[in-house]
Amino acid sequence: MSTPLPATLALPVTDAALAARLRERMEVVEGLLAHEVKGRTAYVSQAASHLLAAGGKRFRPLLVLLAAEVGEHPHSDDVLTAACVVEITHLGSLYHDDVMDEADLRRGAESANARWDNLVAILTGDFLFARSSELTSRLGAEAVRIQAETFGRLVEGQILETVTPEPGEDPLAHYLEVVAGKTGSLIATSARYGARFGGATREVEEALAEYGEIVGSAFQLSDDILDVASESEESGKTPGTDLREGVPTLPTLMAQAAARGSSEPGDQRLLELLAGPIADDADVDEALRLLRAHPAMHEARAYVVAQAAEAKARLSVLPDGPVRSALEAFADLVATRTG
């Protein structure tokens, strides 16, 4: 049984005809996903479908379908297969992420490691990666190469997230490489696959892949800003979650870089607070107050706005129309989102 689609599409599609086509094809993708995550035993099928059934925005397969609309045959079965490849790859990475983060919840449901254990979660992630590879093989040798490179970048990004920067390495550059690997790479491949298997030109394919890499990373960086700037009532997020976990983010890294060269008491206190996870609620509130008033927040927002503009610039090779408008609107949303 397929999972109900989200109430709204994960991309801001305002053209009614395009939105209807995408929703119809996403229904097909949902059915295919439910079929493709099944194993040979009920136990494996239950574990592998656990996070799929929990829902999600389905942003990556939707981007495949949207990018395919710029090609000559957007309704190709290969486009549907590619949409399944990227979502199953993403799902597999979530199982591994939850083990690494010791997470208890994912998408409002128990994480696989909480429901079963770490071993089952890791092996289920591996099973999903194997299934995505099997699906990719149906798309040809070049698709296998692209998928392998993408998977390598994704895993390398996950590994780099667990280690501190090398001596002399810029911590911000290290973090941006993590984000590009963990998030940007698969979103880039989603856009590339849509263009490629939808029959777009190579020029358009490359432009959309570049767009996906930039806008995908920028979306994660805008999440970083929301963790500091938002109020939970407006965003639905709990401010300071990354601070509590000691996770480096764009604004905290920029604030630390600025504070290291400052003698201001507030900057020195901020460095002290950001030295590791913050357990005390009062300290979290203090860190949020200092960060919100720090010039680094403006710097972080300006960086994300610039990235969104760079992503939009890649779309100049696309014809004017609802597809380009939707992609441009998403970049604008990334630059200005509050939730």
Side-chain angles (χ1 to χ4, degrees):
M1 183 176 180
S2 62
T3 305
L5 285 173
T8 58
L9 293 172
L11 287 161
V13 181
T14 57
D15 181 84
L18 175 59
R21 289 198 302 275
L22 292 173
R23 289 192 68 83
E24 181 180 348
R25 288 176 68 73
M26 280 300 298
E27 290 279 4
V28 177
V29 170
E30 284 293 337
L32 292 172
L33 286 170
H35 172 74
E36 295 298 344
V37 300
K38 289 181 179 178
R40 288 186 290 177
T41 66
Y43 185 85
V44 172
S45 297
Q46 182 184 22
S49 63
H50 178 65
L51 288 185
L52 180 68
K57 294 183 176 67
R58 304 288 192 258
F59 169 68
R60 291 158 186 80
L62 179 59
L63 181 57
V64 173
L65 301 183
L66 180 61
E69 288 279 338
V70 301
E72 295 180 353
H73 40 83
H75 299 293
S76 163
D77 286 344
D78 284 350
V79 171
L80 298 175
T81 300
C84 290
V85 165
V86 297
E87 184 64 10
I88 292 174
T89 302
H90 175 58
L91 285 169
S93 74
L94 297 184
Y95 282 80
H96 287 186
D97 264 350
D98 286 344
V99 172
M100 293 170 65
D101 298 340
E102 300 179 348
D104 294 324
L105 292 174
R106 168 69 69 174
R107 295 174 173 173
E110 272 188 304
S111 63
N113 46 299
R115 180 166 180 175
W116 290 282
D117 56 33
N118 283 350
L119 180 60
V120 170
I122 291 169
L123 291 174
T124 302
D126 291 346
F127 170 81
L128 290 170
F129 289 140
R131 186 52 53 87
S132 70
S133 296
E134 180 185 341
L135 284 171
T136 307
S137 70
R138 302 176 192 174
L139 299 173
E142 183 64 10
V144 171
R145 183 193 64 78
I146 293 167
Q147 176 72 358
E149 288 182 356
T150 304
F151 188 48
R153 289 189 61 203
L154 193 157
V155 173
E156 189 170 11
Q158 288 181 311
I159 294 170
L160 288 176
E161 188 179 35
T162 69
V163 300
T164 56
E166 296 287 339
E169 183 183 3
D170 179 6
L172 179 57
H174 177 93
Y175 177 66
L176 293 175
E177 187 174 358
V178 169
V179 171
K182 281 194 64 177
T183 305
S185 63
L186 188 56
I187 293 176
T189 295
S190 300
R192 179 184 294 281
Y193 275 169
R196 173 176 289 253
F197 297 111
T201 65
R202 184 54 58 92
E203 180 187 25
V204 167
E205 177 187 328
E206 293 300 328
L208 283 173
E210 291 171 7
Y211 166 89
E213 173 98 16
I214 298 166
V215 83
S217 296
F219 191 86
Q220 175 57 55
L221 298 176
S222 67
D223 256 359
D224 291 357
I225 295 170
L226 286 175
D227 187 66
V228 175
S230 70
E231 299 293 342
S232 57
E233 302 82 43
E234 68 181 18
S235 69
K237 301 174 184 293
T238 302
T241 298
D242 292 330
L243 296 175
R244 294 178 188 277
E245 297 175 358
V247 176
T249 63
L250 181 67
T252 60
L253 288 167
M254 286 180 165
Q256 285 172 308
R260 289 190 190 98
S262 169
S263 58
E264 291 292 327
D267 282 344
Q268 294 309 304
R269 175 58 177 157
L270 192 53
L271 282 176
E272 180 184 336
L273 288 167
L274 297 179
I278 307 176
D280 185 78
D281 288 345
D283 286 345
V284 171
D285 290 341
E286 182 182 5
L288 286 172
R289 177 177 57 79
L290 290 170
L291 281 167
R292 286 168 179 171
H294 200 281
M297 287 299 291
H298 174 75
E299 184 183 359
R301 288 191 181 98
Y303 182 85
V304 171
V305 168
Q307 290 296 102
E310 187 176 342
K312 286 173 65 176
R314 297 301 196 277
L315 301 175
S316 62
V317 301
L318 271 65
D320 288 332
V323 175
R324 179 171 171 176
S325 294
L327 293 170
E328 289 176 337
F330 180 64
D332 289 337
L333 177 65
V334 167
T336 60
R337 63 192 284 249
T338 58

